[in-house]
Amino acid sequence: MKILKIIALFFTVTLFLNSCSNNDNGGNPINEEELITTIRITLVTNQGPNVVLEYRDLDGDGPNAPIITSSSDLLANATYIASMVILNETESPAVDITLEIKEEDIAHQFFYQVDSGLNISNITYLDQDENGNPLGLEFSFQTGEPSVGNMTITLRHDLDKFAQGVSNGILTNAGGDTDISVTFPLGIQ
Amino acid sequence: MRLLFLLLFFTSHAFPQICSEIIEGSVEDFHDGSKLIGATIVVVGIEKFTQTDLNGNFRLENICLGTYTLQVSHPECSTKIVQITVPYNGKLTIKLEHHLEELDQVTVKGSAGIDHVTTQLENKIGRDQLESLSFVNLGDALKLLSGVSSLNTGSTVVKPVIQGLHSSRVVIMNNGVRMQDQEWGAEHAPNVDLNSAGSISVIKGASALQYGGDAVGGIVLVEPERIIKKDSLFGKTILTGATNGRGGTLTSSITKTYKNGWYAGAQGTLKRFGDFETPNYVLSNTAMFEKDASFRFGVNKFTYGFEGYYSFFQNELGILRASHIGGADDQFRAITSNRPLVINDFTYAIDNPKQEVTHHLAKVKIFRRITNFGKLEAQYDFQFNNRLEFDVRRGGRGDKPAVDLELTTHSFTSDLSFDAHPKLKGNTGVLLRYQNNYANPETGVRRLIPDYDKLDAAIYALGKYQVNDFWTLEAGFRYDYNHIDANKFYRKSLWLSRGYDIEFSEIVVEDFGNQILTNPVFNYHNFSGTAGFSYSFLKNYKLLANYSLATRAPNPSELFSEGLHHSASRIELGDIRFTQEIANKFSVALEKKEDNFSFTLNPYLNNIQNFILLEPIGIEQTIRGNFQVWAFRQTDATLFGIDIDAFVKLDNHFSVNTKFSLVKGNDTKTNEALIQMPPANLATFFHYKNEKWKNLNISLESNYVFRQNEYPETNFELFLPSTNSFVIVDLSTPPDAYHLFHFNADADFKVLDKSVINIGLTINNILDTEYRDYLNRLRYYADDLGRNIIVRLKMNY
């Protein structure tokens, strides 16, 4: 009899536990908090109109390919000042990831790589982190003679900013994890 | 006087006329059927008696017709009174209950010492061996058995692989409860503390149908120590310290038993290690901290019994920091570097990425013996598994888990066994199970496994018939019904790209713009069965042959996966169109058992229809660079192989045993090798023991793991912006063969008159060999463990 009572108690407790279990009919969709959908780079020069480059992939690691656009070609032999905006547009309103990167500037750095065929030179970081190392949300470069090619922008996270060459924008020794790695096809004319 | 006895016992019969009858029979243990030698059989009233011989047999001659009372006694057993009417046709089998016989806690058939299957091979690790393994995990311990290898994520997440198959294809029974601990994931290790076990068995197939019909790979049975029915209080403590990981294990257990059958026991384990090390560097962020406890109490009378059991398992473990990588660029960098890209100083701290798993298991079981029939058992068990995975995250989100899954399971099982017939045994039973998975939305990461409710029901029957002393036949069938009702959010782009919008439009519940909520409901009807025989021949030879049919419904990961799997740096895609896997396995085992020489040859063939595998299908461009996309695919597969064990005893001190396992897997639709098949493995153990000198045991193990030469090519080409060139990311080439040596020794030392301390020394990877293992998912990033010296103290009290 005693045993039966114990069993009965046990069943009751577990059923009670079960009735507390969470099942909210599917709940709400979860939007990836750390998702980056959009990179918008505004290139400003005093020799002509601004150029806006945009990489947008609203389904994140879903199957849809990103949409990469540029408002126009770059002007030859010009100096451009670039500033970047990083967004998560799956949220409404869009989340400005740029602020998050600025807050964690010690742990982040952008890198820019240009195809040898594309005449872009003198890429210079215009912003620094607390330690005086480059961050790269703002940078400048000069264009040369008309040409076409790719520019790849990489954002590394938890990298070694003090490693050799890293503060000069050389990726080789940086280490860390890649948050952004996007390639823009560019034309200079 | 004599006349009085005759009158007393022959009341219902006329006085016998013919006195030339014979009573022949045998006396055996009620629990495991072992023959009892020297049992006394007294025919009450006629002063006839005899004793059983070395085979447990007896013979009484010159018995008159009539009804008699036999009084059967044995020094270790309760005396039993048996009524018999002469003439008696056939052999009389008398079963005695061993006084000191350990009670059955676990198996549906009888005591924990016996085989769970008759016609399929069952390999076992006993208590003594387990004690020397108190610092390792279940997966590593099982590797001592031939045909068992492991799928690792580093050295702390170790999943058993039985004859080439793992995860949902391996059923793990922990003290009679089927583990429901999210076993589907490759980096989800079984949540079982080895130190709570008295023995561990592996059945390399699905023939033990009482445990499940979906054990396409096999079954692992973790069974607690047996309880002795006497007034006693006993326990043990094992303390180990290891150089690699600079940590150790403390495990302790205590049990109180009473002669009247009541018992209670408690057991606990603490395991703590810092970063493990290879011969040349620290494996940063591989520390672990595990806390386990279990309690049980109950009563075990001969005719009825009850047990309550609760176990708690909690484990926090770091995942090699260098294995957390972003896109394919990072993957290429990590693979081509011959050292991990992150190496820090040794620490006990566990950082992200890490896992925190908590598993609660509680059960109550009752049984009642039914006179002249068998036994009826009923069990209810409850399990709660919470898996937290922490990732390297941006924006201070590191304290928030990226995966937070709560799996709750209630099961009710009942089993009725029949053992009253000396030659025919059987059992039949039912199972009812309810399971709920809840994915906590607080993670800020899309749900890895959706919320779902699952209902399972099953019915089975198994029978065994001993035809004669040589032949035993075994057969069984099982039917399982699985019902899954899920709430799954799909990215709309994926929903469309997979063509689900056309086939499954009716399951859409709500459109949230980027995502849609669906309500997939699946019903699976699974049939499984087994048939086999065991044939004993010559002297000490035995041939086992078994066919088993196993049917496994696809698991939630195979159905619903959709998205980036960080630890594998790839996008994984499931498919809700999947149907059940159906495996037909044929296995044969030839055994010879002798004191000085024994061997087992176990070839097998496993033919699996609708085998679900994961393979690369392309590259996907994301903002973090390119990722390889792996999709689950259903195909047909054949696995065949052989496990060989041999043992030679050279003299009273020296012995050698060796085991060899080989398995080949083939996708029969594409005629390609299956991925992640264990390479051939040869292990040889040289033992020395001296019972007279402190019970000394010394063993040296040589373990040679061959290179896997059969594998599918899953490499891919990648554009590297940093060098402006295309490179090949080599994910498929298996590592080289390796040869390791391990040493183990232990001896008993007397302390304070009575107590005995057992001191052991183990050295793993004596030569500090650098190696990588094909089945370690972190092999791309780092070497495997270097030398490890472990000291062990065991005290029984």
Side-chain angles (χ1 to χ4, degrees):
Chain A
M1 236 20 236
K2 203 173 174 186
I3 291 166
L4 279 174
K5 270 184 196 164
I6 293 166
I7 296 168
L9 184 72
F10 199 85
F11 269 96
T12 320
V13 170
T14 47
L15 284 174
F16 172 73
L17 284 174
N18 181 40
S19 62
C20 298
S21 83
N22 312 288
N23 193 344
D24 45 1
N25 288 327
N28 292 311
I30 299 172
N31 289 316
E32 298 275 334
E33 286 178 0
E34 281 142 290
L35 184 68
I36 297 172
T37 60
T38 310
I39 296 160
R40 194 175 299 139
I41 307 172
T42 308
L43 304 172
V44 179
T45 179
N46 51 18
Q47 284 149 285
N50 293 351
V51 177
V52 179
L53 308 175
E54 195 180 73
Y55 177 107
R56 204 159 179 235
D57 190 358
L58 291 179
D59 76 333
D61 53 2
N64 285 354
I67 297 162
I68 303 168
T69 54
S70 82
S71 59
S72 66
D73 281 344
L74 302 178
L75 291 176
N77 301 312
T79 300
Y80 280 94
I81 291 175
S83 56
M84 256 187 270
V85 175
I86 318 280
L87 301 172
N88 174 4
E89 292 189 284
T90 57
E91 303 269 357
S92 176
V95 181
D96 189 355
I97 313 277
T98 324
L99 301 173
E100 216 173 80
I101 294 170
K102 277 184 187 157
E103 265 168 40
E104 294 182 355
D105 54 5
I106 296 172
H108 287 101
Q109 186 175 339
F110 285 90
F111 297 86
Y112 323 96
Q113 267 127 8
V114 176
D115 281 3
S116 51
L118 182 67
N119 291 321
I120 284 182
S121 58
N122 286 338
I123 302 176
T124 312
Y125 288 106
L126 296 182
D127 52 1
Q128 273 83 35
D129 66 16
E130 287 169 31
N131 299 328
N133 285 317
L135 174 60
L137 282 164
E138 283 166 24
F139 62 102
S140 66
F141 61 85
Q142 282 178 333
T143 57
E145 293 305 310
S147 52
V148 287
N150 291 323
M151 180 188 230
T152 300
I153 294 182
T154 305
L155 172 63
R156 285 277 172 88
H157 173 207
D158 276 350
L159 72 166
D160 182 0
K161 292 179 104 166
F162 293 93
Q164 199 193 349
V166 173
S167 60
N168 296 323
I170 299 166
L171 195 47
T172 319
N173 297 322
D177 298 324
T178 303
D179 280 344
I180 292 174
S181 175
V182 298
T183 299
F184 293 98
L186 297 179
I188 299 172
Q189 62 174 15
Chain B
M1 195 61 194
R2 186 172 169 181
L3 187 68
L4 187 71
F5 267 115
L6 286 172
L7 281 170
L8 203 66
F9 286 99
F10 294 171
T11 45
S12 61
H13 289 260
F15 280 106
Q17 306 297 316
I18 308 151
C19 296
S20 60
E21 292 297 323
I22 293 164
I23 305 173
E24 263 188 312
S26 63
V27 180
E28 56 185 48
D29 186 317
F30 183 93
H31 299 283
D32 62 4
S34 64
K35 304 294 181 194
L36 293 174
I37 303 157
T40 309
I41 298 99
V42 178
V43 186
V44 180
I46 60 170
E47 285 181 11
K48 265 192 189 300
F49 68 92
T50 185
Q51 277 201 320
T52 52
D53 62 15
L54 291 174
N55 297 317
N57 294 323
F58 68 88
R59 184 180 165 94
L60 290 155
E61 293 178 351
N62 300 329
I63 308 287
C64 311
L65 292 176
T67 299
Y68 297 88
T69 300
L70 304 182
Q71 179 187 318
V72 189
S73 59
H74 188 268
E76 293 169 19
C77 301
S78 326
T79 300
K80 190 172 181 180
I81 305 295
V82 180
Q83 297 280 345
I84 180 171
T85 303
V86 176
Y88 183 83
N89 293 324
K91 273 183 84 176
L92 174 69
T93 306
I94 300 163
K95 296 185 181 218
L96 293 188
E97 187 203 357
H98 242 219
H99 237 348
L100 305 173
E101 175 58 45
E102 296 115 306
L103 305 172
D104 63 323
Q105 301 302 311
V106 190
T107 66
V108 289
K109 284 193 195 165
S111 85
I114 64 160
D115 290 347
H116 302 88
V117 284
T118 308
T119 65
Q120 197 159 48
L121 214 54
E122 177 174 345
N123 297 24
K124 191 168 223 156
I125 305 176
R127 193 183 65 188
D128 291 350
Q129 210 170 3
L130 285 176
E131 284 176 348
S132 71
L133 295 168
S134 75
F135 65 101
V136 309
N137 48 44
L138 180 69
D140 277 328
L142 290 171
K143 281 207 275 193
L144 288 169
L145 302 175
S146 65
V148 185
S149 40
S150 70
L151 177 65
N152 289 31
T153 302
S155 57
T156 46
V157 179
V158 185
K159 295 187 74 117
V161 179
I162 301 177
Q163 293 185 334
L165 299 169
H166 58 82
S167 299
S168 295
R169 299 183 182 100
V170 171
V171 170
I172 296 178
M173 299 293 300
N174 184 4
N175 191 3
V177 176
R178 181 173 175 164
M179 292 297 287
Q180 300 286 342
D181 55 351
Q182 312 189 27
E183 71 289 345
W184 47 70
E187 71 282 45
H188 303 182
N191 302 144
V192 176
D193 174 22
L194 208 60
N195 294 298
S196 68
S199 71
I200 298 181
S201 312
V202 169
I203 300 168
K204 298 173 189 171
S207 61
L209 290 174
Q210 62 270 44
Y211 304 120
D214 54 351
V216 174
I219 298 168
V220 176
L221 295 164
V222 180
E223 311 193 320
E225 213 165 322
R226 296 196 286 173
I227 285 195
I228 296 167
K229 208 170 172 178
K230 64 178 182 188
D231 289 325
S232 174
L233 177 70
F234 60 92
K236 70 176 176 211
T237 294
I238 304 173
L239 180 68
T240 62
T243 55
N244 201 337
R246 305 183 207 175
T249 308
L250 173 67
T251 182
S252 222
S253 69
I254 190 152
T255 308
K256 172 78 186 136
T257 59
Y258 297 92
K259 202 175 171 183
N260 62 13
W262 283 91
Y263 62 89
Q267 175 267 336
T269 301
L270 279 178
K271 220 184 247 190
R272 176 115 210 225
F273 289 96
D275 288 337
F276 289 92
E277 285 164 70
T278 71
N280 298 317
Y281 46 80
V282 173
L283 292 166
S284 283
N285 202 41
T286 55
M288 62 102 74
F289 192 13
E290 182 180 314
K291 293 165 243 178
D292 314 310
S294 65
F295 307 93
R296 59 174 167 159
F297 72 100
V299 63
N300 218 319
K301 302 280 190 191
F302 184 68
T303 51
Y304 67 90
F306 155 84
E307 185 182 56
Y309 177 79
Y310 167 75
S311 89
F312 170 78
F313 178 99
Q314 188 178 52
N315 180 339
E316 181 182 3
L317 42 94
I319 303 293
L320 181 70
R321 181 61 183 83
S323 72
H324 181 94
I325 44 183
D329 300 21
D330 296 4
Q331 196 172 20
F332 179 74
R333 274 191 299 135
I335 291 175
T336 46
S337 163
N338 56 8
R339 285 165 73 87
L341 293 175
V342 183
I343 300 175
N344 299 321
D345 290 339
F346 171 88
T347 173
Y348 289 96
I350 303 172
D351 254 323
N352 295 359
K354 66 175 177 180
Q355 303 181 355
E356 270 181 43
V357 182
T358 309
H359 191 87
H360 297 270
L361 183 159
K363 77 159 192 179
V364 278
K365 184 177 124 173
I366 46 174
F367 74 84
R368 179 160 201 103
R369 276 183 211 283
I370 304 163
T371 317
N372 290 327
F373 189 84
K375 189 161 124 180
L376 179 66
E377 291 182 316
Q379 175 176 307
Y380 163 78
D381 58 77
F382 166 80
Q383 292 179 75
F384 176 76
N385 186 282
N386 181 213
R387 162 169 284 270
L388 303 175
E389 291 184 9
F390 295 84
D391 232 321
V392 178
R393 298 179 74 171
R394 231 187 33 239
R397 294 186 184 87
D399 294 337
K400 202 152 84 167
V403 172
D404 181 353
L405 296 172
E406 294 175 4
L407 186 70
T408 310
T409 312
H410 301 264
S411 307
F412 173 79
T413 49
S414 182
D415 183 273
L416 176 67
S417 58
F418 169 78
D419 59 7
H421 192 279
K423 292 189 165 178
L424 183 67
K425 318 258 176 224
N427 56 312
T428 177
V430 293
L431 162 107
L432 291 171
R433 178 179 291 138
Y434 165 75
Q435 185 171 75
N436 172 264
N437 184 61
Y438 172 69
N440 189 345
E442 301 296 309
T443 55
V445 175
R446 296 176 63 253
R447 297 169 179 89
L448 181 71
I449 300 289
D451 292 353
Y452 69 79
D453 282 315
K454 186 164 178 263
L455 286 172
D456 298 326
I459 182 163
Y460 62 86
L462 286 158
K464 184 165 89 174
Y465 181 66
Q466 191 184 345
V467 181
N468 52 36
D469 288 347
F470 310 109
W471 290 88
T472 303
L473 306 177
E474 187 180 46
F477 89 95
R478 180 175 172 120
Y479 164 75
D480 281 88
Y481 167 71
N482 310 129
H483 171 86
I484 301 178
D485 184 338
N487 288 308
K488 163 76 182 162
F489 285 95
Y490 279 98
R491 269 198 200 88
K492 204 183 248 171
S493 57
L494 184 108
W495 180 258
L496 297 173
S497 79
R498 296 232 110 192
Y500 288 163
D501 56 323
I502 298 159
E503 269 179 80
F504 299 99
S505 60
E506 75 285 356
I507 65 170
V508 176
V509 176
E510 197 178 343
D511 193 326
F512 287 87
N514 278 329
Q515 297 186 44
I516 49 171
L517 173 62
T518 62
N519 178 216
V521 177
F522 303 105
N523 291 298
Y524 300 102
H525 301 277
N526 307 325
F527 295 92
S528 39
T530 183
F533 67 81
S534 152
Y535 171 58
S536 304
F537 62 105
L538 294 174
K539 204 184 161 195
N540 305 322
Y541 279 88
K542 208 186 226 182
L543 181 70
L544 310 176
N546 177 273
Y547 159 75
S548 62
L549 166 71
T551 307
R552 181 180 76 86
N555 67 36
S557 149
E558 291 159 342
L559 291 169
F560 300 121
S561 281
E562 181 226 342
L564 188 60
H565 194 153
H566 278 279
S567 67
S569 184
R570 64 193 187 201
I571 292 165
E572 292 181 354
L573 301 177
D575 199 327
I576 50 175
R577 299 179 184 98
F578 285 156
T579 55
Q580 297 108 310
E581 259 179 13
I582 298 167
N584 291 281
K585 185 169 187 174
F586 301 88
S587 74
V588 176
L590 176 67
E591 271 187 310
K592 178 190 163 76
K593 268 192 184 156
E594 230 173 54
D595 280 352
N596 294 327
F597 175 58
S598 61
F599 71 84
T600 310
L601 298 175
N602 175 212
Y604 56 90
L605 172 71
N606 201 350
N607 209 323
I608 310 173
Q609 286 167 45
N610 305 327
F611 184 73
I612 301 175
L613 56 79
L614 188 59
E615 64 180 4
I617 56 161
I619 296 280
E620 196 166 292
Q621 195 182 0
T622 78
I623 209 148
R624 303 212 293 175
N626 295 308
F627 282 91
Q628 210 181 9
V629 181
W630 289 58
F632 286 98
R633 176 172 67 94
Q634 271 196 314
T635 183
D636 293 339
T638 299
L639 282 88
F640 65 97
I642 187 164
D643 296 338
I644 300 170
D645 280 282
F647 169 80
V648 182
K649 189 172 162 186
L650 302 168
D651 61 22
N652 281 334
H653 299 302
F654 289 97
S655 63
V656 180
N657 76 322
T658 189
K659 64 189 181 86
F660 174 75
S661 305
L662 174 73
V663 57
K664 286 179 177 293
N666 198 35
D667 179 337
T668 50
K669 278 192 180 163
T670 61
N671 205 21
E672 262 195 60
L674 290 180
I675 196 165
Q676 279 182 337
M677 281 295 122
N681 184 327
L682 175 68
T684 307
F685 301 79
F686 302 90
H687 295 284
Y688 170 83
K689 70 170 180 179
N690 191 338
E691 281 154 357
K692 285 178 186 151
W693 194 83
K694 300 188 187 301
N695 213 1
L696 178 70
N697 274 298
I698 297 175
S699 73
L700 181 69
E701 178 189 351
S702 144
N703 186 5
Y704 187 83
V705 178
F706 292 75
R707 182 176 181 273
Q708 179 56 275
N709 291 321
E710 295 176 4
Y711 57 93
E713 209 227 73
T714 56
N715 299 342
F716 65 101
E717 200 179 49
L718 171 77
F719 178 75
L720 270 195
S722 52
T723 56
N724 217 344
S725 58
F726 281 92
V727 290
I728 298 288
V729 183
D730 183 359
L731 291 173
S732 46
T733 307
D736 290 337
Y738 60 88
H739 192 180
L740 303 180
F741 293 92
H742 310 301
F743 172 84
N744 188 50
D746 66 83
D748 291 339
F749 296 91
K750 280 205 174 82
V751 285
L752 305 169
D753 292 345
K754 273 185 179 175
S755 299
V756 172
I757 284 191
N758 179 282
I759 299 177
L761 172 74
T762 300
I763 307 171
N764 286 337
N765 193 0
I766 299 170
L767 302 177
D768 214 11
T769 304
E770 287 173 43
Y771 70 102
R772 295 187 183 202
D773 189 89
Y774 179 55
L775 289 187
N776 191 333
R777 287 154 35 88
L778 303 188
R779 70 178 167 92
Y780 302 121
Y781 315 116
D783 286 342
D784 229 301
L785 297 189
R787 185 186 296 123
N788 191 5
I789 302 169
I790 302 116
V791 178
R792 185 175 61 251
L793 289 176
K794 190 191 95 181
M795 215 167 89
N796 283 320
Y797 40 84

